[in-house]
Amino acid sequence: MSFVLSPVPEGTAAGGDPIAVLGVSGAPDAFRGTVPAALGPGPAAPGRPDPGAAAVFLEGPHGAAEDPLPGAPVGRLPSGNPPLRNAVAAALSWLRGGIARTAVAGTTARPGGWLLLRRLSDARAAGEPGLCLLELATGSGAAPPGVTELLVAVRRFQAPPSASTARAAPAADREPPAAAPELTATAADPQAHDQGRPVLSGAVPWPLSSRSETGVRAEARLLAAYLRERPELDSHDVAHALATGRGAAEHRAVAVGADREELLTGLDALAAGHDQEGVVRGTARPSGGVVMMFPGAGGQWRGMGGGLWDSSPAFRESVLACAEAFAPYVDWSLVDVVRGRRGAASLNRVEVVQPALFTVTVSLAAVWRSFGVVPAAVLGHSQGEIAAAHVAGALRLPDAARVVATRSRLIAGALAGKGAMLSVPLPAAQVRERLAELGGGLAVAAVNGPATTSVAGSPDAIEELFARLVDEGVRVARIVSDFASHSAQVDALHGPLLDEVGPLRHHSTDTLLCSTVTGRVLDPAALDTEYWYQNLRRTVEFDSAVRTLLRLGFSTFVEPSAHPLLTAPVADIAADTGTEVRAVGSLRMGESTAQRMLTSLAEAQVAGVPVDWAKACASRGRIELPSGPLPQEFPRGAATTGPEAATGRAAPGAAGDGFWRAVDRGDLAGALGVVLPALSWSNGS
């Protein structure tokens, strides 16, 4: 069957179910006024209009659509727009007569005003929220001009499901249509932030969201078509409009690209449901706050901060602050090391790599903060706990730099070349049994997960353990380290460390600190010099610390590091406890670009972390984006003669072709896959 969406003679309505208006997109100006008080009598009975009077009313916050609240707002369709009134009347006739189960009504005389209508009984059975009910006059069997009543303004809200809805359709696997959208998504006030200086330059994010995965794909398809027809629209202006002109619904996606074509390619991948670099999708859920976790040794690479030095003012300023704090303790350029410049000090030196890793991690945390992502809790693995304490505000930068520089220098002088380490994929208890059988010289350095344990000790003892585990078929791995931290070898540093670091001042903070020394929440008052010695000497209880945070309700973990080292262990621990978590990194080996950082931010945002995308945009002005399933130019004109007049087919378009092909073959689900999800374009979905 085909739907005629062009002006038609007024239809005749027979009695039956009222019609649920499931969405309204791009309503003409006449529909933007304030809903007046009731203009006439309400329905004589639930779901039935008075003879000669038709009603359109919002579903009340405490009432079901079948039983509207007394005095529910009613408006009249302006008499100056008969084509739309007639199209709605025809759609209602088809719905009532059983010709169609769902109808999209609009006009070619006033493009942009599209209604999605469905029989209320069908909408309820499917668990779909109706925005309002629409009834056509039935007294005389005809709909006289000006009598058909239609919603004057569509409010941005979604009423709770009625009891009948809950009984008819469980929530599982539902993809409800969106509540009524705003008319456009527009960029906010140009003075809202420094638009000439985005917090991260070199790439742009285009965020989308909907109440269903299908909706996200439809939005991506429609936006791509809309923007290809408007090459003059700047990618930053588009990003700013997407970031500020709508909220964020449950199903989310972000396309990240360095230029417009790359972003459009990302939208195409989203629309097709394909995976692609720079395209992120996910489902948001409450996170209970973000945990920032800071790795210790490992993950470093030359030039690990070079890209962000150029693209992120927050990163650059943090690196410079760290360089100033470390200056009294080092005779090499920290900035050159972070940027990977020729002649920089070698990252193979422990007294270089530890200050460099501290600098990169706290500077990446500053990048996250520049997008509004502030940790509710922190934890750090080994040396990473110093960075965690500083980011939490419990340890000031000069003190943190003094601890890092002093420890690394003492390690280089007293421990380097005397130790080795292994990563063993066995539970800590089983590892300890094997260490006991081998005698002294070895220690469990870190418990990183339910079946991931690090061992430290002398090179000879490590080689003996390695050979035994290989014989057992255990896939043991060597850790690149020539000293045995978290073992008895560290005892030699106790006195010198306390003497050279001296007293430290702790500071109270609202950010929760979870200690990997104890595996429990830590009072900042405990962060004295002795604690930082124990942090180097005792086993890293990472597994216990993560479990503590999971019990406290945290489920989102962000790792500000040059390469993710802790995300996989967190996932393993969560799986062992039956907890669903999202663990997100920042940079990756060889990737220090704005695009990589924005992609990581997108991974957090689609999981439910609030990210201020507007900060990534250098918007030049206010632009409009499509608010509904069809661009304002669709339909481009009405066909009044010939074969097209019978179908009401409009001129071809990227979105329109797919819609009409589905309609012509009677595939309502396919047609609504184009139209329905995009009705929520500006409603934060």
Side-chain angles (χ1 to χ4, degrees):
M1 71 193 72
S2 296
F3 297 150
V4 181
L5 300 188
S6 55
V8 296
E10 292 184 352
T12 299
D17 266 359
I19 307 303
V21 178
L22 301 180
V24 178
S25 170
D29 290 339
F31 291 81
R32 300 181 187 178
T34 303
V35 176
L39 299 178
R48 295 291 182 269
D50 268 353
V56 175
F57 42 85
L58 291 171
E59 189 172 11
H62 303 294
E66 294 90 335
D67 187 13
L69 297 176
V74 175
R76 295 183 182 277
L77 177 66
S79 58
N81 194 1
L84 181 56
R85 182 179 71 247
N86 295 343
V88 171
L92 288 171
S93 297
W94 299 331
L95 289 166
R96 290 277 174 71
I99 299 173
R101 307 301 295 182
T102 305
V104 180
T107 78
T108 56
R110 193 69 178 274
W114 299 86
L115 303 175
L116 177 68
L117 303 111
R118 194 168 185 183
R119 292 171 64 94
L120 182 63
S121 56
D122 291 347
R124 284 303 189 195
E128 295 169 337
L131 300 178
C132 66
L133 297 183
L134 189 150
E135 281 288 352
L136 202 62
T138 60
S140 61
V147 174
T148 302
E149 312 229 357
L150 199 58
L151 195 61
V152 175
V154 179
R155 307 277 180 83
R156 281 190 68 181
F157 82 97
Q158 179 176 334
S162 66
S164 61
T165 304
R167 289 192 300 270
D173 299 324
R174 293 294 176 204
E175 292 186 355
E182 295 285 336
L183 296 177
T184 56
T186 58
D189 182 353
Q191 303 304 318
H193 71 282
D194 184 358
Q195 296 172 26
R197 190 178 184 237
V199 298
L200 193 60
S201 59
V204 177
W206 282 357
L208 304 173
S209 70
S210 183
R211 292 197 181 94
S212 70
E213 182 180 353
T214 302
V216 172
R217 292 175 62 178
E219 290 188 9
R221 179 168 56 251
L222 294 169
L223 180 60
Y226 183 86
L227 294 176
R228 283 192 169 101
E229 293 181 358
R230 295 162 178 79
E232 73 279 3
L233 293 183
D234 180 76
S235 60
H236 278 269
D237 292 340
V238 173
H240 202 247
L242 290 170
T244 62
R246 60 198 67 188
E250 179 183 8
H251 294 268
R252 301 178 181 182
V254 183
V256 178
D259 55 44
R260 199 174 192 274
E261 282 307 310
E262 192 172 357
L263 288 160
L264 288 172
T265 301
L267 290 183
D268 293 339
L270 282 173
H274 296 160
D275 292 331
Q276 179 175 301
E277 190 71 22
V279 171
V280 181
R281 57 174 65 84
T283 304
R285 62 179 181 272
S287 65
V290 170
V291 177
M292 276 194 183
M293 51 186 183
F294 297 80
Q300 66 270 14
W301 48 279
R302 182 176 177 180
M304 55 186 166
L308 289 184
W309 172 272
D310 296 327
S311 61
S312 170
F315 183 87
R316 183 168 56 252
E317 291 164 8
S318 177
V319 170
L320 290 172
C322 289
E324 182 179 355
F326 278 105
Y329 312 106
V330 302
D331 58 1
W332 42 269
S333 170
L334 179 61
V335 170
D336 287 352
V337 170
V338 170
R339 298 180 65 186
R341 302 185 72 177
R342 185 186 300 273
S346 173
L347 288 171
N348 294 326
R349 297 163 51 190
V350 64
E351 71 273 25
V352 174
V353 71
Q354 290 199 358
L357 285 174
F358 171 91
T359 298
V360 168
T361 56
V362 301
S363 299
L364 285 170
V367 177
W368 283 92
R369 187 180 294 270
S370 71
F371 282 89
V373 181
V374 179
V378 296
L379 81 159
H381 190 288
S382 187
Q383 177 198 285
E385 196 164 18
I386 307 173
H390 168 59
V391 170
L395 190 65
R396 295 293 186 256
L397 182 56
D399 285 346
R402 186 162 82 253
V403 174
V404 172
T406 303
R407 285 198 346 175
S408 62
R409 180 172 51 78
L410 291 173
I411 290 171
L415 303 183
K418 299 179 181 179
M421 300 183 72
L422 294 177
S423 177
V424 183
L426 292 174
Q430 295 182 25
V431 172
R432 287 189 171 102
E433 291 175 359
R434 287 164 172 77
L435 300 190
E437 294 170 1
L438 291 174
L442 295 172
V444 170
V447 181
N448 295 323
T452 307
T453 307
S454 296
V455 177
S458 66
D460 290 344
I462 286 291
E463 285 303 315
E464 183 180 1
L465 175 62
F466 181 85
R468 174 173 173 175
L469 292 172
V470 170
D471 289 343
E472 293 179 8
V474 178
R475 295 189 174 184
V476 62
R478 300 181 189 275
I479 297 174
V480 179
S481 176
D482 68 347
F483 62 93
S485 57
H486 311 286
S487 75
Q489 290 189 16
V490 178
D491 292 345
L493 304 186
H494 189 203
L497 184 66
L498 296 183
D499 292 341
E500 295 194 33
V501 171
L504 295 172
R505 295 182 58 188
H506 67 272
H507 300 268
S508 61
T509 175
D510 293 331
T511 305
L512 183 147
L513 286 83
C514 194
S515 168
T516 52
V517 174
T518 66
R520 300 188 297 273
V521 175
L522 183 73
D523 185 338
L527 296 177
D528 56 11
T529 309
E530 175 65 25
Y531 179 86
W532 296 117
Y533 165 75
Q534 296 296 335
N535 167 271
L536 180 62
R537 171 63 178 89
R538 293 172 58 177
T539 300
V540 179
E541 300 291 351
F542 184 77
D543 181 275
S544 296
V546 172
R547 290 173 192 269
T548 295
L549 291 168
L550 294 177
R551 286 194 298 270
L552 292 174
F554 292 99
S555 61
T556 301
F557 293 76
V558 167
E559 181 180 349
S561 65
H563 187 78
L565 299 175
L566 304 179
T567 54
V570 165
D572 291 342
I573 298 166
D576 190 58
T577 64
T579 306
E580 185 178 0
V581 301
R582 184 65 184 264
V584 178
S586 296
L587 304 181
R588 290 180 184 173
M589 192 78 67
E591 297 181 54
S592 178
T593 62
Q595 187 158 348
R596 174 66 257 165
M597 189 67 220
L598 286 173
T599 301
S600 296
L601 283 156
E603 291 172 359
Q605 194 264 346
V606 300
V609 176
V611 173
D612 187 356
W613 287 125
K615 298 292 186 63
C617 312
S619 177
R620 296 175 303 184
R622 184 183 183 92
I623 67 168
E624 291 187 353
L625 296 180
S627 61
L630 305 177
Q632 293 298 310
E633 290 76 13
F634 181 85
R636 300 173 187 234
T640 57
T641 62
E644 291 184 351
T647 62
R649 186 185 303 278
D657 281 350
F659 173 80
W660 289 116
R661 283 195 298 269
V663 166
D664 284 345
R665 66 176 180 264
D667 180 8
L668 286 178
L672 295 179
V674 176
V675 176
L676 175 58
L679 287 167
S680 61
W681 190 272
S682 300
N683 190 35
S685 38

